[in-house]
């Protein structure tokens, strides 16, 4: 049982490049979400999904796209990377009734030059 | 969701109980109080949550005041591995859970 798996763990991009952060969970969770954490700050919600085919915006959605074609996967796309998107990104999942216990991945550290 | 207020930092002696306060004076009747912690740069870890009654699990106890305007997370016997940032969150039955700055807890030998 792997839990929540994020790839890659580290990535360096140049301004304007695009990339996708992958997130997969094997717990059959309906709810999945993406957060970013800047140095010395708490986590801010980017996008979330309450089930396959359903996504919604969180607190800081600009510059990011998501889709949820399967229950297991919830990729986060950066369309045109900017230095302001340098951050650590966390994916999380839960059963979905309210929130309950959120299970987090290990994080993906992104640097945009 | 109601705003929560936590002290920015606190120290605790190893082996002693750590009492972490959280104010949520604007909490509404259907909002739960959740606690998470984040060790180093790892993903946050769920600790406990409650609505009205006090709760206890293998990690901690959660004491919620009768008026629900504040709560206390108790780590009964703090160890060095409990050094972390602790987040208190008030959340209704929606899906937009975000984390504030939390309390940095340092357990000292």
């Amino acid at each position: 049982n792997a839990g929540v798996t994020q790839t890659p763990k580290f990535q360096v991009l140049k301004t304007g490049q695009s990339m996708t952060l992958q997130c997969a969970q094997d717990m059959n969770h309906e709810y999945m979400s993406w957060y970013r954490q800047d140095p010395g700050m708490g986590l801010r919600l980017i996008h979330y999904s309450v089930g396959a085919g359903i996504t919604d915006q969180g607190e800081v959605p600009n510059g990011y796209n998501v889709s949820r074609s399967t229950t297991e996967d919830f990729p986060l796309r950066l369309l045109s990377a900017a230095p302001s998107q340098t951050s650590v990104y966390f994916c999380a999942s839960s059963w979905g009734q309210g929130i309950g216990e959120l299970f987090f991945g290990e994080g993906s550290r992104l640097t945009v030059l | 969701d109601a705003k929560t207020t936590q002290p920015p930092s606190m120290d605790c002696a190893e082996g002693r109980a750590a009492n972490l306060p959280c104010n949520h004076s604007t909490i509404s009747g259907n909002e739960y109080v959740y606690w998470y912690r984040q060790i180093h740069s790892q993903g946050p870890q769920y600790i406990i949550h409650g609505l009205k009654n006090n709760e206890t699990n293998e990690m901690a106890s959660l004491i919620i005041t009768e008026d629900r305007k504040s709560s206390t997370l108790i780590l009964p016997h703090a160890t060095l591995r409990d050094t972390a940032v602790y987040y208190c969150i008030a959340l209704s039955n929606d899906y937009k859970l975000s984390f504030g700055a939390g309390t940095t807890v340092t357990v000292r030998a």
Side-chain angles (χ1 to χ4, degrees), chain A residues 101 103, chain B residues 37 45-49 55-62 73-79 82:
Chain A
E101 179 179 351
F103 293 82
Chain B
R37 73 180 184 183
Q45 175 190 25
Y46 167 85
I47 301 173
I48 199 167
H49 75 283
E55 302 287 345
T56 295
N57 63 20
E58 64 278 4
M59 289 182 65
S61 295
L62 174 61
L73 179 75
I74 301 173
L75 307 177
H77 303 287
T79 71
D82 291 321

Side-chain angles (χ1 to χ4, degrees), chain A residues 90-109:
Chain A
F90 290 99
C91 178
S93 72
S94 75
W95 296 111
Q97 291 186 345
I99 292 290
E101 179 179 351
L102 268 176
F103 293 82
F104 281 83
E106 294 183 353
S108 297
R109 186 175 297 272

Side-chain angles (χ1 to χ4, degrees), chain A residues 31 96-100, chain B residues 1-3 26-34 49-51 68 89-98:
Chain A
Y31 176 86
Q97 291 186 345
I99 292 290
Chain B
D1 299 324
K3 177 180 168 58
T26 61
I27 197 168
S28 62
N30 66 343
E31 286 184 302
Y32 287 77
V33 178
Y34 282 81
H49 75 283
L51 183 63
R68 301 208 329 118
I89 302 154
L91 181 69
S92 62
N93 198 27
D94 67 15
Y95 299 93
K96 295 188 176 182
L97 188 155
S98 284

